[in-house]
Amino acid sequence: MSKIGVAVVGTGFGQKVHIPGFQAHHRTEVVAVYHRNLDKAKDLASTHNIPYACDSIADIVAIPEVAGVSISTPPFLHFEMAKTVLEAGKHLLLEKPTALTANEARELYRLANNESQTDFKNGGSRAIATMDFEFRFIPAWQMLAELLAAEYVGEKRLIKIDWLVSSRADASRPWNWYAQKERGGGVLGATGSHVFDYISWLFGPPQRLSGHLITGISRRPDPNDSGNLKLVDADDSCTLMLELAGGTPCQVCLSSVTYQGRGHWVEIYGSKGTLVLGSDNQQDYVHGFRLWGSQGGEPLAEIKIPQRLEFPQVYPDGRIAPFIRVVDRWVEAIDAGKSLIPSLREGVYSQLLMDLTQESNATGTWVDLPKIDKFLDTK
């Protein structure tokens, strides 16, 4: 099978995860890299033996060898960049959160499914868009999904999710886009976008939600302004209550400012049993997940993950192995000429629930959640 030429846009997460992931994958080849500073783009290209270096997205999509583009920039840049990629008929792999608003995400979805796409209109293949919702591809999570599908816990009575880390607990950590709500900063976008996706995947779409956003560290030093303190208006903690189909309650607590936070845990309590998935690894949010189960009131016991689900290779950075599986899905979709889950549809839904969490926080009320089809069909 022919190699797919990929351009990597975003040199933080992109350099740590996307570039090594694409270079390890047997069907993809990194042929271009973007940085807003051309000298830095050239340095990065030289370091990783990448042929092209660019400082504009227009230049990236104009390169004939570029068939697909991955975007891992801060959220406020996603919409315009992704729009340029899709309008050029290039395949897209997009990091979460999808955009700044659900309306932006919906416009990208419609663009990806528009028959007027440049390449598609000229007889080429449709541009395929995939979201990097990597929890769907972690072995312990896949085993959890299989057990839930097999009714291991029976009728679900309570779901509890904690994702408590200390990545921004130090108040001296610099003020940047992450501290700004209008730029997509905050824990809701950083981790809540994942949580909303895997809740839908594991348990089905929620019916309504109530959310409360907190900014525990209200000022941070701006390194570009002599270290003067600047206002933080993005959330660093979030509490959520969701009601799932049948009325099952789902409680979520997210925070990036919890010293010695317990890590990432999902607990499912049902009429037949209990499943607990979790990791207390504060340094790597993929490494370390284990799964425990109990039925009939027996003590919790660890459940072995079958070899068929394990990664064929693991890396020092735990995010690379599940990212390669996302690339597998992207390549499979490109070969088939049709979107596969997780696509922009899932990205729109996650973004919609983020928007409605903001609405609930602002109004102090429960918010009913529309069906994704209805939202996508809304003008």
Side-chain angles (χ1 to χ4, degrees):
M1 302 291 286
S2 59
K3 289 267 191 178
I4 297 170
V6 177
V8 173
V9 176
T11 54
F13 192 80
Q15 183 175 4
K16 294 174 182 175
V17 177
H18 285 214
I19 289 177
F22 283 125
Q23 290 183 330
H25 198 278
H26 67 288
R27 286 289 306 284
T28 55
E29 180 181 7
V30 182
V31 297
V33 64
Y34 161 92
H35 192 284
R36 65 183 182 275
N37 181 306
L38 186 57
D39 289 336
K40 291 184 178 180
K42 289 178 177 178
D43 287 344
L44 189 62
S46 176
T47 299
H48 295 280
N49 197 27
I50 299 170
Y52 296 98
C54 301
D55 61 355
S56 82
I57 303 301
D59 288 344
I60 283 283
V61 298
I63 298 171
E65 294 93 329
V66 171
V69 179
S70 76
I71 296 177
S72 59
T73 56
F76 66 94
L77 298 171
H78 284 189
F79 176 69
E80 290 298 337
M81 287 182 166
K83 185 177 178 182
T84 299
V85 169
L86 293 171
E87 286 177 341
K90 306 288 185 176
H91 306 301
L92 172 68
L93 197 158
L94 185 60
E95 277 298 332
K96 57 75 202 168
T98 314
L100 288 180
T101 67
N103 287 336
E104 286 186 350
R106 180 173 56 190
E107 185 172 341
L108 294 178
Y109 170 83
R110 290 174 174 173
L111 186 58
N113 289 276
N114 191 337
E115 293 189 0
S116 66
Q117 280 184 35
T118 303
D119 280 8
F120 188 67
K121 183 171 60 176
N122 294 332
S125 61
R126 181 185 298 281
I128 299 299
T130 293
M131 293 296 301
D132 185 23
F133 286 133
E134 66 259 48
F135 286 95
R136 292 172 177 261
F137 300 94
I138 299 171
W141 289 76
Q142 293 179 324
M143 187 65 193
L144 173 65
E146 290 186 5
L147 291 171
L148 289 171
E151 300 291 334
Y152 182 96
V153 302
E155 181 182 348
K156 289 180 268 306
R157 293 173 174 169
L158 173 67
I159 297 162
K160 189 173 187 300
I161 298 170
D162 287 335
W163 195 346
L164 310 176
V165 298
S166 59
S167 57
R168 299 190 66 80
D170 183 353
S172 67
R173 185 160 179 177
W175 183 89
N176 59 8
W177 68 267
Y178 193 100
Q180 302 172 68
K181 179 180 176 180
E182 68 175 11
R183 293 197 156 200
V187 74
L188 181 65
T191 62
S193 53
H194 276 303
V195 171
F196 285 141
D197 178 66
Y198 70 63
I199 286 176
S200 176
W201 165 46
L202 295 171
F203 311 116
Q207 297 181 141
R208 61 182 190 138
L209 65 76
S210 173
H212 181 49
L213 302 173
I214 306 103
T215 304
I217 299 177
S218 60
R219 296 183 183 277
R220 291 186 182 272
D222 183 358
N224 297 315
D225 186 22
S226 303
N228 288 322
L229 296 178
K230 280 199 172 179
L231 182 68
V232 175
D233 63 1
D235 55 287
D236 51 33
S237 294
C238 171
T239 58
L240 285 157
M241 279 296 298
L242 300 100
E243 183 181 292
L244 306 182
T248 304
C250 178
Q251 179 189 52
V252 181
C253 185
L254 312 172
S255 182
S256 61
V257 292
T258 47
Y259 283 124
Q260 303 305 318
R262 70 189 295 240
H264 192 176
W265 294 82
V266 180
E267 303 167 23
I268 305 108
Y269 301 93
S271 60
K272 290 169 55 179
T274 296
L275 287 167
V276 176
L277 172 77
S279 170
D280 59 4
N281 190 327
Q282 290 274 346
Q283 305 304 315
D284 187 316
Y285 66 75
V286 172
H287 277 321
F289 278 106
R290 298 164 67 190
L291 179 64
W292 294 265
S294 164
Q295 289 184 310
E298 293 296 317
L300 283 170
E302 186 167 358
I303 296 173
K304 182 176 175 57
I305 309 303
Q307 187 60 40
R308 61 183 171 82
L309 296 179
E310 294 287 6
F311 294 123
Q313 181 178 348
V314 294
Y315 300 81
D317 188 322
R319 301 170 295 184
I320 294 174
F323 177 75
I324 290 173
R325 285 186 168 176
V326 173
V327 177
D328 281 336
R329 184 60 57 89
W330 192 37
V331 170
E332 181 185 354
I334 291 170
D335 287 343
K338 62 179 181 180
S339 293
L340 298 173
I341 296 172
S343 68
L344 273 177
R345 179 186 177 88
E346 287 69 42
V348 173
Y349 191 65
S350 171
Q351 191 74 51
L352 176 61
L353 268 58
M354 289 170 56
D355 283 16
L356 294 176
T357 299
Q358 295 282 358
E359 178 183 328
S360 174
N361 178 70
T363 60
T365 62
W366 282 82
V367 176
D368 291 330
L369 306 180
K371 301 290 187 184
I372 183 60
D373 288 339
K374 181 177 181 180
F375 179 74
L376 290 173
D377 288 341
T378 304
K379 293 183 178 180

